Amino acid sequence: MKLSTRSRYGLRFLIDLATHAGEGPVFLKDIARRQDLSEKYLWNVVLSLKSAGMVNSVRGPRGGYYLVGSPADITMNDIVSILEGPISLVDCVENRSSCNKADTCAARDVWVEAAGKIKNVLEGITLGTIVERMASKQS
Amino acid sequence: MKLSTRSRYGLRFLIDLATHAGEGPVFLKDIARRQDLSEKYLWNVVLSLKSAGMVNSVRGPRGGYYLVGSPADITMNDIVSILEGPISLVDCVENRSSCNKADTCAARDVWVEAAGKIKNVLEGITLGTIVERMASKQS
DNA sequence: ATATACTCCACAAAATTAGTAGACAATATA
DNA sequence: TATATTGTCTACTAATTTTGTGGAGTATAT
């Protein structure tokens, strides 16, 4: 039950972006350097975030990336869903037809319930609160 | 954020076992047939459950597996922890030294919090309630 | 004795994840 | 308009994890 590096890198990217909000677009290259991530691989992660409309980019000199919405409106569930896929602990939660026993399966009910609760947890954590907490930590 | 088949198979094995409690040991072969799982692979999963002390076995004819404790005392967190490893969404949650930035990392705090809450959710679901719910569903 | 079922090591196929290479496209600025 | 800077994109490869198989052996109730 580990998250892939996509989610980890994505979150670090977004935190970095939120931290530098209001300073104009931020270079992918700078974030990769600050966070010590492969620039190429990070781009691939960020591509997903952009496709999902969570970030946007400006090309050319003085270009870079910026958050589309307010950090307070971006939840961990949003981030993980984009980068990891929907929070279904097993396929049959999302996709009844992936198992021909889904309708009568006792185990499935468990996973549906657990997935729902985990989703609630992740929805309760926003990028905004993360950045706030960071700031108060440093002072 | 998917669980591996180990957890899925393991839960189905345990549900089957709990359902047949009080009838003496249950054959792995029978469960594999009922649940339509590879006998060999299921054995490997069950081995982990046995090593962890959750189930025990009797050899020879009339042998088989049985639950060690009461279904009411076995939580989803126990099961997933055994079969999937500890619920740390990222390595640094369990293992600070896996990342040299763990002490100052803002993202880590998020994962620690999320992992703790997810653990609470899974601890709230026991094998006992699952079996009960199944029974009431069938009536 | 022997049938039944568990034990355990080693191996292999499949799938997923992680990461790299390099050419191309857009654009702010001089 | 030239050019430096930065994002875009496709294709490929390497590493890891997951999932599963084979087969020889061991314990024991009948």
Side-chain angles (χ1 to χ4, degrees):
Chain A
M1 196 158 167
K2 289 266 185 296
L3 291 169
S4 68
T5 59
R6 288 177 64 79
S7 293
R8 294 193 284 119
Y9 289 11
L11 177 61
R12 285 162 68 184
F13 175 85
L14 289 167
I15 288 176
D16 196 301
L17 217 54
T19 307
H20 293 80
E23 302 172 16
V26 185
F27 302 142
L28 179 66
K29 181 184 286 186
D30 286 348
I31 297 184
R33 187 164 35 217
R34 274 198 293 267
Q35 302 291 334
D36 193 27
L37 305 174
S38 150
E39 198 178 327
K40 285 284 190 181
Y41 189 58
L42 181 57
W43 172 81
N44 175 272
V45 174
V46 172
L47 176 64
S48 298
L49 295 174
K50 192 182 174 192
S51 301
M54 186 172 280
V55 303
N56 213 339
S57 62
V58 177
R59 296 181 138 188
R62 320 268 315 155
Y65 288 90
Y66 58 93
L67 283 176
V68 168
S70 158
D73 296 330
I74 299 175
T75 74
M76 284 298 300
N77 184 55
D78 296 332
I79 298 168
V80 173
S81 293
I82 292 168
L83 298 176
E84 208 87 8
I87 313 273
S88 54
L89 298 179
V90 300
D91 276 336
C92 63
V93 169
E94 281 289 311
N95 207 343
R96 272 198 125 86
S97 60
S98 71
C99 172
N100 56 12
K101 297 185 186 133
D103 289 327
T104 58
C105 177
R108 180 175 182 276
D109 291 347
V110 179
W111 301 128
V112 169
E113 180 182 347
K117 288 186 175 174
I118 288 171
K119 191 176 166 187
N120 287 342
V121 168
L122 295 181
E123 277 172 343
I125 307 175
T126 75
L127 196 53
T129 59
I130 295 169
V131 175
E132 272 174 32
R133 218 181 301 173
M134 275 179 62
S136 68
K137 215 176 179 182
Q138 300 217 335
S139 63
Chain B
M1 195 158 166
K2 290 266 184 295
L3 290 170
S4 68
T5 59
R6 288 178 63 80
S7 293
R8 294 192 285 119
Y9 289 11
L11 178 61
R12 285 163 68 184
F13 175 85
L14 289 168
I15 288 176
D16 195 300
L17 218 54
T19 307
H20 292 81
E23 302 172 16
V26 185
F27 303 142
L28 178 67
K29 182 183 284 185
D30 285 348
I31 297 183
R33 190 164 32 218
R34 273 198 292 268
Q35 302 292 334
D36 194 27
L37 305 173
S38 150
E39 199 178 326
K40 281 284 193 180
Y41 189 58
L42 181 58
W43 172 79
N44 176 271
V45 174
V46 172
L47 178 63
S48 299
L49 295 174
K50 192 183 174 189
S51 300
M54 185 172 282
V55 303
N56 213 337
S57 61
V58 177
R59 298 182 136 186
R62 321 272 312 159
Y65 287 90
Y66 58 93
L67 283 176
V68 167
S70 158
D73 296 330
I74 299 175
T75 75
M76 284 298 301
N77 184 56
D78 297 331
I79 300 168
V80 173
S81 293
I82 292 168
L83 297 176
E84 208 87 8
I87 314 273
S88 54
L89 297 178
V90 301
D91 276 337
C92 62
V93 169
E94 281 290 311
N95 206 344
R96 273 198 124 86
S97 60
S98 71
C99 173
N100 56 12
K101 296 184 185 136
D103 289 328
T104 57
C105 176
R108 180 175 182 275
D109 292 346
V110 179
W111 300 127
V112 169
E113 179 181 349
K117 288 187 175 173
I118 289 171
K119 190 177 168 189
N120 287 342
V121 168
L122 295 181
E123 277 173 344
I125 308 175
T126 74
L127 196 53
T129 59
I130 294 169
V131 174
E132 273 173 33
R133 218 181 301 173
M134 275 180 60
S136 67
K137 216 177 178 181
Q138 299 216 336
S139 62

